[in-house]
Amino acid sequence: MNAVLETLAPNRARQAIGQIAVELPGATAVFRRHKLDFCCGGQIPLQEACEAKQLSVDTVLAELEGLQRVDVDVAQQPAPEVIDHILQRYHAVHREQLPELIRMARRVEAVHRDSPDVPAGLAAHLEAMEAELLDHMDKEENILFPLLRAGGLGMAHNPIAVMRHEHISHGEQLERLMALAHNTQPPSGACNTWRALYAGIAQLSDDLINHIHLENNLLFPQFEPRAAACCP
């Protein structure tokens, strides 16, 4: 294990698996792949849960460490490096986040359908967000970003305008998402899956807001016509 993981591993291995699922968005997918029960069996420490399944705790810890998201300052970087950061930090992450959130939302809606606090319609809304966001990212990856990497001056204005318009739609969808998820505040006594779902939605919201900010306010202005200076 690397130095960072060696520092985190002892505490993480002793943590209850359900606590990790709630605190670390994306951990539920890792636990599901290894058939580790983070919901009903979530009170068991990770070390003990792995031993019961004859799993290497180091392997699971390494996968969990890979979920840690590090935001870097790319404000002074040239456009190609900014695009690379967007692809790795946001596009790839959104493609991991949404399927797992949809799966958890479906489960919460099914298991807790009789609860007055159940987020009815949440899974369907996440599915709609996923479809729109995947289409948006595909257009950026296949049309806009190659154009920007090639210089893009004079040709990128219209594609950028389309992306900005779609960003407005993403913002509206986020508002609806937060309303459906009760501003990511789970009810008293919520199960670990419900709590992990809301923690993951909070992370998705933060990531998508930062993603849009980076494109709208840092990347796109480099390729848009500058407004004419006002007369003195």
Side-chain angles (χ1 to χ4, degrees), residues 79-80 83 143-160 218-226:
I83 291 170
I143 300 171
L144 180 59
F145 288 171
L147 182 61
L148 300 186
R149 287 185 190 276
L153 293 175
M155 298 184 294
H157 179 68
N158 287 338
I160 287 174
L218 180 61
L219 180 63
F220 293 169
Q222 298 180 45
F223 299 91
E224 294 172 310
R226 296 180 182 273

Side-chain angles (χ1 to χ4, degrees), residues 18-215:
Q19 183 181 359
I20 298 171
V22 172
E23 292 180 354
L24 183 59
T28 56
V30 173
F31 295 150
R32 190 161 48 83
R33 281 198 301 273
H34 291 289
K35 296 181 171 56
L36 293 168
D37 180 8
F38 62 87
C39 198
C40 297
Q43 73 280 2
I44 299 173
L46 177 61
Q47 177 81 49
E48 184 179 331
C50 287
E51 289 173 354
K53 289 284 186 178
Q54 296 184 321
L55 295 170
S56 165
V57 69
D58 287 349
T59 298
V60 176
L61 285 168
E63 292 186 37
L64 294 173
E65 177 61 18
L67 299 172
Q68 300 288 344
R69 310 300 182 193
V70 179
D71 288 313
V72 298
D73 184 5
V74 293
Q76 305 303 319
Q77 298 296 317
E81 279 73 9
V82 176
I83 291 170
D84 287 341
H85 177 69
I86 290 170
L87 292 173
Q88 294 165 12
R89 174 60 182 85
Y90 298 109
H91 284 211
V93 170
H94 294 330
R95 288 189 171 100
E96 292 176 0
Q97 290 170 316
L98 282 156
E100 183 66 10
L101 292 176
I102 290 167
R103 188 197 68 81
M104 287 194 289
R106 286 175 180 157
R107 180 168 179 79
V108 168
E109 288 187 65
V111 172
H112 301 284
R113 58 185 175 274
D114 295 329
S115 169
D117 298 308
V118 69
L122 181 59
H125 185 69
L126 283 165
E127 288 170 349
M129 285 189 68
E130 180 185 41
E132 183 174 302
L133 193 55
L134 289 176
D135 178 68
H136 177 87
M137 293 189 298
D138 283 345
K139 284 185 284 191
E140 288 187 334
E141 291 166 11
N142 295 310
I143 300 171
L144 180 59
F145 288 171
L147 182 61
L148 300 186
R149 287 185 190 276
L153 293 175
M155 298 184 294
H157 179 68
N158 287 338
I160 287 174
V162 172
M163 295 300 99
R164 285 187 180 278
H165 179 74
E166 292 185 1
H167 285 169
I168 294 172
S169 177
H170 298 335
E172 293 170 347
Q173 287 195 332
L174 269 180
E175 288 183 8
R176 175 62 177 157
L177 176 65
M178 297 303 281
L180 286 169
H182 306 105
N183 290 314
T184 66
Q185 297 300 312
S188 175
C191 68
N192 286 336
T193 299
W194 200 335
R195 294 166 62 209
L197 169 64
Y198 280 6
I201 287 173
Q203 183 66 61
L204 171 67
S205 177
D206 287 346
D207 284 348
L208 189 51
I209 288 170
N210 289 334
H211 178 184
I212 292 170
H213 158 70
L214 192 56
E215 292 184 352

